[in-house]
Amino acid sequence: MSKYAMSDYRSPVPVPALDATPPEVHRGIYGMPMFVTVPTPDLAASVDFWVRGLGFIDLFSIPGQLTHLRRWAFQDLLLVSGDRPAVAPTVTVSFASVLSQVDQVVAACEDLAPGCTTGPHPTPWNSVDVHVITPESAQVIMTAARPLDPDSAEAQNLRAVGIEVPETWTPASPPAPGRARLPD
C-alpha cells in the first residue's frame, strides 16, 4: 500500500495565489529530467514565436540545426530543423505559469499569430488554461494554478477522487507534508 503526500521537493512553481510571481528564468546547465523536441521548417520564426509569445529564452543555439529554449527550471524545449507535420499532433505539452501571465501570453501570441489561442478558461482541477497552436503545429497549454478555496466545487472534485483538501490553505502556508493524499 502506497501513500503519496505533499513533497518537500522545491519546485520552481510558486504556491497558487492571485498575486503569485513567476520565478526567474533558470540559465544554468543541468541534466534535463524531461524535455520536448519540436521540429520546425523555419527555426528563426519558431524561436521568435516561443520567445516573444510564450516567454521562453534562447538558452543556446546551433545555427541552422537547433535552439534550446527554456522558461523556468525544468521547462526545456528543443526546436530542431525539420518538416512541419501535415496534421497537428494530438499530444499536448503543458507549461506552468502564474495567473498574471495568462492574459500576457494570449495577447502576445495573438499578436504574432492571430487565432492561435483558445481560452483562457477555468478547469475542474483548479487552474486557468490557455491552449496555443504554435507555428510548428505543436499544441501547448499554458496552465496557471488558482488559489484553492476549500469550499469550492474544485475542492469537492478533489475530495471525490480521494485527495484530502486542507480546511484552510493560504498562499503563505501551503498544506503541511502529509496533508494532501492521493488514493491508494
Side-chain angles (χ1 to χ4, degrees), residues 46-123:
S46 293
V47 169
D48 184 58
F49 184 88
W50 285 83
V51 168
R52 291 194 309 139
L54 297 171
F56 283 75
I57 63 157
D58 179 344
L59 189 63
F60 69 86
S61 293
I62 300 173
Q65 295 180 37
L66 74 85
T67 296
H68 182 156
L69 300 175
R70 180 175 295 152
R71 283 183 79 241
W72 306 348
F74 311 117
Q75 291 187 342
D76 292 275
L77 179 115
L78 298 180
L79 289 172
V80 297
S81 291
D83 294 329
R84 178 181 175 176
V87 177
T90 58
V91 173
T92 62
V93 60
S94 299
F95 293 99
S97 297
V98 295
L99 292 170
S100 65
Q101 293 178 308
V102 170
D103 291 336
Q104 296 167 2
V105 165
V106 170
C109 289
E110 286 295 324
D111 185 50
L112 294 165
C116 71
T117 65
T118 304
H121 60 272
T123 68

Side-chain angles (χ1 to χ4, degrees), residues 5 14 20 28 31 34 36 45 51 62 86 96 99 107 110 120 128 135 149 152 164 180:
M34 182 270 179
V36 176
V51 168
I62 300 173
L99 292 170
E110 286 295 324
V128 173
D149 175 355
S152 68
E164 292 182 29

